[in-house]
Amino acid sequence: MLFFAASINYLDRQVLGLLAPTLQHSIGWTEATYGYIVGAFQFAYAIGLVLAGRLVDRLGCRVGYVIIMAFWSLASVGHALAGSALGFGIARFFLGLGESGSFPAAIKTTAEWFPQQERSFVTGIFNSGTNVGAIFAPAFIPWITLKFGWRIAFVSTGLFGTIWIVWWITRYYSPEDHPRVSPSELQYIHDDRPEPTAQIPWRNLLAYRQTWAFAVAKFLTDPIWYFYLYWLPKFFDARYHLGLGSIGLPLIVVYNLSAVGSIGGGWLPTAFNKTGMSMARARLSAMLVCASLILPIFLASRVSSLWSAVGILGLATAAHQGWSANLFTTASDMFPRSSVGAVVGIGGMAGSVGAVLFSLSTGWVLQSYHSYAPLFSVAAASYLVGLLFLMVMAPGLRRADVYSEGCGQPAE
């Protein structure tokens, strides 16, 4: 269910990126205007993450995820009513507000259902759903747009959420309430350590270095994924002159590779752990591997062959997804389950703030210099810098001792 929720999430958000060259020509956007529209989504995403993380912590995954999915599905359909850059900006804002809750809810669900040593692999599996959404979109959206028009494209993707809501509300229960979970399975799920269930006030979470370590890493690397999502169709169109009818295959290849990276990167810490590494060292080692594999992306705009660029970008998106699966899991490594949603929300907000700044900068760079080279160079370096901050601010992914001086009182 988490896998398909992630698929719907990215299907809904990628429609605009695929249609951007078409809409840009028909409505008359500049590169900077498109950057503002993308920035509206990310600004709302940043605001929503603060609210969504706590919403899921308070209402639980079963109810919280339904509210989140319903809100963003309505916002996706609302794009069909837009007819100007301002209208698209408003629609993107509400889509970002709704979609912001998806990952806090999914990470909290993972923390409820799986012990620590399995979470990055599980996160990698459901996170690969984002790639399925990104793969399905270029196969489906151009066809439906050419046949029925761009408004129907937004309406059709928004309807998938309704099906998922019915599935989730009728099938999902917490492990403690699930009728088919045995006592031994429940013991295995909670095998790590007994944890208090009291929530930590949001302001208190900001007193921990672990919160800031997670947030800084998200701030530096989340913008790169949004850049891939919203600007790769425009990059292929500008660099290799691919129209709406032929842009699908390169994007499908890129996101198929990223799906492999999501699962493989999530599995990698488990493999390292079996060699005798501690779980924390295994997690950080996997993140180093992923960060290193992204470095060749600085060549992406310099190669003349389309398929060479596709290979470089596919490797980079695969490594990003492996990185993301492990970075998300550090939140549950360092904090108790009762606060994972809030911590992921704080980190996601930081990532969205970074994405707003990067989107606005991207529009300005492309309009001023007409070159993707500076942007790919920034993408190449961001992950190693993010890993350095994570290791310095939270050495060894040391667990936050949030209850040693009373509920929610920092002990550091």
Side-chain angles (χ1 to χ4, degrees), residues 8 10 57 73 141 144 173 188 197 233 261 270 278 289 323 358 397:
I8 295 168
Y10 270 74
D57 283 338
S73 296
I141 298 304
I144 200 169
Y173 299 92
Y188 175 73
T197 58
T270 303
S278 68
V289 170
W323 162 278
F358 196 74
L397 302 180

Side-chain angles (χ1 to χ4, degrees), residues 97-144:
L97 204 62
E99 289 202 346
S100 64
S102 180
F103 278 92
I107 296 298
K108 185 175 178 66
T109 303
T110 301
E112 285 186 354
W113 269 94
F114 297 92
Q116 182 186 21
Q117 68 270 19
E118 293 185 356
R119 289 178 196 161
S120 66
F121 185 37
V122 171
T123 301
I125 291 173
F126 85 69
N127 194 42
S128 68
T130 64
N131 307 298
V132 171
I135 291 164
F136 184 63
F140 171 69
I141 298 304
W143 176 82
I144 200 169

Side-chain angles (χ1 to χ4, degrees), residues 84-242:
S84 65
L86 177 61
F88 276 101
I90 294 170
R92 295 313 281 181
F93 180 89
F94 284 106
L95 183 67
L97 204 62
E99 289 202 346
S100 64
S102 180
F103 278 92
I107 296 298
K108 185 175 178 66
T109 303
T110 301
E112 285 186 354
W113 269 94
F114 297 92
Q116 182 186 21
Q117 68 270 19
E118 293 185 356
R119 289 178 196 161
S120 66
F121 185 37
V122 171
T123 301
I125 291 173
F126 85 69
N127 194 42
S128 68
T130 64
N131 307 298
V132 171
I135 291 164
F136 184 63
F140 171 69
I141 298 304
W143 176 82
I144 200 169
T145 301
L146 292 171
K147 193 169 183 64
F148 300 105
W150 63 265
R151 297 182 192 276
I152 300 300
F154 284 107
V155 172
S156 61
T157 58
L159 295 178
F160 285 108
T162 304
I163 301 170
W164 186 91
I165 287 171
V166 173
W167 185 23
W168 179 264
I169 202 68
T170 56
R171 300 289 293 178
Y172 179 81
Y173 299 92
S174 66
E176 292 80 6
D177 297 328
H178 201 289
R180 295 198 302 274
V181 174
S182 68
S184 61
E185 288 173 320
L186 194 61
Q187 182 180 358
Y188 175 73
I189 291 169
H190 299 300
D191 191 43
D192 304 326
R193 57 158 57 182
E195 290 184 349
T197 58
Q199 293 181 359
I200 306 165
W202 188 84
R203 64 183 179 276
N204 287 2
L205 290 172
L206 294 176
Y208 295 98
R209 291 167 60 94
Q210 289 90 337
T211 303
W212 288 99
F214 180 74
V216 169
K218 294 282 285 179
F219 175 84
L220 291 170
T221 59
D222 275 16
I224 310 305
W225 180 251
Y226 285 111
F227 171 65
Y228 299 149
L229 194 66
Y230 291 118
W231 268 277
L232 281 192
K234 289 172 65 62
F235 168 70
F236 285 134
D237 180 65
R239 182 74 173 84
Y240 301 104
H241 310 293
L242 303 181

Side-chain angles (χ1 to χ4, degrees), residues 332-350:
S332 57
D333 288 341
M334 298 186 292
F335 288 91
R337 293 183 181 92
S338 60
S339 296
V340 166
V343 172
V344 171
I346 292 169
M349 178 186 68

Side-chain angles (χ1 to χ4, degrees), residues 245-318:
S246 56
I247 203 170
L249 183 59
L251 291 171
I252 289 170
V253 172
V254 167
Y255 290 117
N256 266 299
L257 291 172
S258 67
V260 174
S262 181
I263 298 174
W267 165 82
L268 199 55
T270 303
F272 286 155
N273 180 242
K274 289 179 179 179
T275 68
M277 285 188 187
S278 68
M279 201 63 235
R281 185 179 177 188
R283 182 98 60 225
L284 293 171
S285 296
M287 294 176 76
L288 176 60
V289 170
C290 293
S292 299
L293 291 174
I294 292 169
L295 291 174
I297 199 176
F298 81 95
L299 296 171
S301 64
R302 295 174 168 88
V303 296
S304 58
S305 165
L306 167 64
W307 293 106
S308 295
V310 168
I312 292 170
L313 290 164
L315 178 64
T317 56

